[in-house]
Amino acid sequence: MRITLIPLLLALAAACVPALCGNKEQPVPQPEAPVGTRSHFAALDDVRLLANGLLQLGQSLREFVQKTKGQINDILQKLNIFDHSFYQLSVFASQIKEEEEELKKTTVVLKANSEEIKGLSVEISSKVDSILQEKSRLQNKVDGMEEKLRSLTHGLVTSEQVGEINSLKELIHSQERSITELLNAMREQSDQLNHQRIMIKTLEEKFTVNTLTQETIERMPEILNSEAPTLTPYLTSSSTSTTDMMNLPSDCSDLFNRGEGVSGVYAIRPTGTEPFMAFCDMSINHGATVIQRRRDGSVNFDQIWDKYENGFGDFQGEFWLGLRKIHALAAQGNSVLHIQLEDWKQGRHFIEYRFYLSGLESNYTIHLTHLSGDLADPMSNHTGMMFSTKDRDNDNHQDSNCAHNYTGGWWFNACGETNLNGRYFHMRPKGRSERRRGIQWRPGQKASYSLKLTQISVHPMASPSTTSSTSASSETGVFLRSSTRILQ
Ligand SMILES: *[C@@H]1O[C@H](CO)[C@@H](O)[C@H](O)[C@H]1NC(C)=O
Ligand SMILES: *[C@@H]1O[C@H](CO)[C@@H](O)[C@H](O)[C@H]1NC(C)=O
Ligand SMILES: *[C@@H]1O[C@H](CO)[C@@H](O)[C@H](O)[C@H]1NC(C)=O
């Protein structure tokens, strides 16, 4: 900034000498000249000089402003980056703290275990000792008896008595053998316990030393505020032959019934609409058309109405199929909305609703009737809600724009407890209001918890094998594949 100021000052000085600063002396007229014309010319010269100076001044000012603007932009950008990194750091810090607490708990449990094992070990040792004493006492007795036997055999003992005594001797010997075996077993046990104790100890040390988990820093995508790629548009007759178009399945379930069993992207054509591409999940025994998937935060879901209406994201990763297409699917009737969720502890759950979605004229109002599933149902009282985005507030909240506050487009109520299009958090944010922006499914007054995986799909009610239990237990296909990819 200093560099740009110098030419500015120079220009100012140049402009200043005749015109501005010399204001007092300059207009003094020459004595011989005719006063009127002379001063008129002098004034013209002054004006010209002044104009020149002002022009220069203007030029320099413009340059100065341009440069300053650039610098300010630069600074703003840096501030943005700083803000972002700061946010990331705070997120990591809170995550690390939580992990630390969990580790502390584990350590306490391990310590208790270790104590218990130590006690056991000591007990076994003392038992072994007492058994050893017992054994030596027995040995003495045996020795004494043998001595007696020998002295007795010198006297008069019947062969019957000798046989009896011998069998007794045999009994004592076998008793001794079994005692030795028992001792060995106990010693082994004790060794094993000791070994376990040492293992626990090293584990414990590892935990306390290494409370910071690595690898957490590498993720956290730079996708906040980014615009999501538009999903493939409708297919046109120029891109597909007419006969092919006529033969397209009406949805993924139809395609499944025609014998296609592999999950993937296919062209479908719901009754009465143009054909389009959709992701088919064929892993659940009936073929479902996937309308939303979250799994790694690679797509920014905080998008405007237009994006939510037409779809965005990437079929291979995260996407939103688009309200127009979802409406077309639901308009075929008998639709079931299947929602699969997975939390960060690998707990997988689902819920199903009878589902209908109105069209644009009613802002894609959702109609739900709870059917089944092992998830609590916070959505039933969203039935009849219009879709809202940050640029189209159709929620039931008087003073707030829920989509703006909580990010992502959804059937917000006031604002309600669900938002599967919220922000994807790889770890729990520190602030409550930030957490509330996450991917939510909160029945009742439960605290905010941002989910790890979501998949929303639709399929017709009619299919015979769509019972809830099969769909819940057979999440082996796409959903599981995507989760293993995350876990790697
Ligand atoms: C649909 O949403 C727009 C914009 O938010 C609103 O002006 C309009 O009244 C809504 N339509 C209905 C039927 O409520
Ligand atoms: C939404 O944000 C506004 C402005 O920050 C705030 O006044 C309002 O209370 C928020 N509403 C909800 C429901 O969180
Ligand atoms: C929806 O139901 C839940 C309880 O199931 C309740 O807490 C919430 O206030 C209800 N929302 C509306 C807008 O009625």
Side-chain angles (χ1 to χ4, degrees), residues 397 399-402 404-406 414-416 433 436-437:
H397 204 289
D399 333 294
S400 298
N401 176 342
C402 301
H404 180 266
N405 279 37
Y406 298 138
C415 293
S433 59
R436 189 61 183 77
R437 298 200 174 96

Side-chain angles (χ1 to χ4, degrees), residues 385-399:
M385 279 314 305
M386 294 186 278
F387 200 81
S388 288
T389 53
K390 56 185 173 185
D391 58 330
R392 279 182 81 160
D393 178 7
N394 298 322
D395 62 46
N396 270 345
H397 204 289
Q398 290 290 315
D399 333 294

Side-chain angles (χ1 to χ4, degrees), residues 132-144:
L132 275 175
Q133 276 171 10
E134 195 72 24
K135 191 189 160 202
S136 73
R137 218 178 302 138
L138 253 167
Q139 189 69 48
N140 283 347
K141 258 191 200 157
V142 169
D143 285 351

Side-chain angles (χ1 to χ4, degrees), residues 428-477:
R428 192 161 175 265
K430 210 183 180 75
R432 195 192 300 167
S433 59
E434 186 65 9
R435 278 206 291 278
R436 189 61 183 77
R437 298 200 174 96
I439 304 171
Q440 301 284 322
W441 189 270
R442 303 190 305 154
Q445 301 304 314
K446 286 243 178 82
S448 300
Y449 182 91
S450 196
L451 293 160
K452 178 180 169 192
L453 296 172
T454 74
Q455 179 174 294
I456 312 176
S457 58
V458 291
H459 63 262
M461 182 81 146
S463 333
S465 58
T466 59
T467 53
S468 48
S469 59
T470 47
S471 45
S473 57
S474 60
E475 289 161 331
T476 43

